Amino acid sequence: MSLLPFFRWFQMLRVGVAIRASTYWFPAIEVVHLFGLVLLLGPILVVDLGLLGLGMRRQAISRVARAVAPGIWSGMTIMLATGALLLSAEAMKCYENPAFWYKMYFLAGALLFHSTIYRWVTSSDSPERISSTITGLLSLALWFGVALAGRVIAFL
Amino acid sequence: MSALALFQWLQGRPWAIAFHESRYVFPLVETIHVLGLAGSVGLILVTDLRLIGVLLREEPVAEVMGRNRRWMWMSFASMFATGALLFCSEAANCYLSPTFRAKILFLFLAGVNAFAFETTIGKRVSVWGRAADTPFAARFAGWASLVCWTAVILFGRWTAYGLQ
């Protein structure tokens, strides 16, 4: 099944048409998208560095993860909402952009990982060294993959 | 020699032109700039949110930045170095851009705020840093940092649109 009809439909939504018609909406939404990135990546970095034993060490990782969770969820909500708006403004352009698809693969991987293995490992009081190291590295790789591919969209 | 003439000279150097027109190096440097931003401002933001009492209220303030500080500096250094390179390639354009000037102003203010915090109330963090609620001066520094970095990102992105 091709997603092309969905992208065609998404592109023609009233909100996308409105964003395209204005000079300022797209940049304004993109700036909020960038704020969401910082808000999401900051807490994720704190947890990942903790998992790798390179950051906060005196605290149990489960405590740190729980304490920064509101930041992660707020950042993720902002990113997904503004991301959907940006996509509605240029759905067809994205459909034809390979970097966009890499970004979506990384994002799907990151969300899946975050809501499963990452959650299990960071909710355990004393995760094994090897599993916390792998979890920290994978999380960093997936989220930076999302950010990297996202930036490349603009260059292709 | 005026500042503008200096920046025009800088922007006109053959290496600056080659860098600006390169198909892969310029986007690569710009990408590192954004990733450096996400890393450094992300970690700064977490500290700010602790100072104003939003996140990590149960952890001591000193621990929140603590060992994360070197990663913040490493990200900051990569952001600063790539930023300097990007500036060279459009020095005169940046100099004349009101949004770029606003960005530099807020970057400077963020630095002054961090310096003021570290040399005054930040020095006594072991005294007050364990409590969930922080003193007024610390909350003020947290809010000031949030405002300054938000402005830096806003005007930075805006500058890139203006120079296109």
Side-chain angles (χ1 to χ4, degrees), chain A residues 46-69:
Chain A
V46 170
V47 177
D48 289 350
L49 290 172
L51 282 170
L52 293 170
L54 300 170
M56 292 173 77
R57 238 188 344 196
R58 279 184 222 167
Q59 289 72 15
I61 200 66
S62 54
R63 249 178 84 152
V64 175
R66 211 170 37 237
V68 298

Side-chain angles (χ1 to χ4, degrees), chain B residues 15-105:
Chain B
W15 58 265
I17 295 172
F19 167 64
H20 193 220
E21 288 175 359
S22 83
R23 183 151 175 222
Y24 296 107
V25 182
F26 189 85
L28 181 71
V29 169
E30 212 174 35
T31 303
I32 298 172
H33 191 63
V34 178
L35 292 180
L37 165 105
S40 56
V41 183
L43 290 174
I44 290 170
L45 180 90
V46 173
T47 311
D48 295 342
L49 292 175
R50 170 63 180 92
L51 288 178
I52 66 172
V54 173
L55 284 185
L56 290 156
R57 288 170 59 88
E58 287 169 31
E59 311 305 331
V61 172
E63 301 273 320
V64 174
M65 195 45 111
R67 284 157 45 88
N68 287 331
R69 196 183 293 266
R70 54 192 164 145
W71 302 105
M72 189 280 288
W73 278 116
M74 262 184 232
S75 304
F76 189 86
S78 57
M79 175 171 70
F80 200 85
T82 51
L85 202 52
L86 292 167
F87 173 79
C88 289
S89 73
E90 305 199 71
N93 301 345
C94 284
Y95 176 71
L96 294 172
S97 154
T99 53
F100 184 78
R101 288 178 180 197
K103 172 181 172 165
I104 296 302
L105 172 70

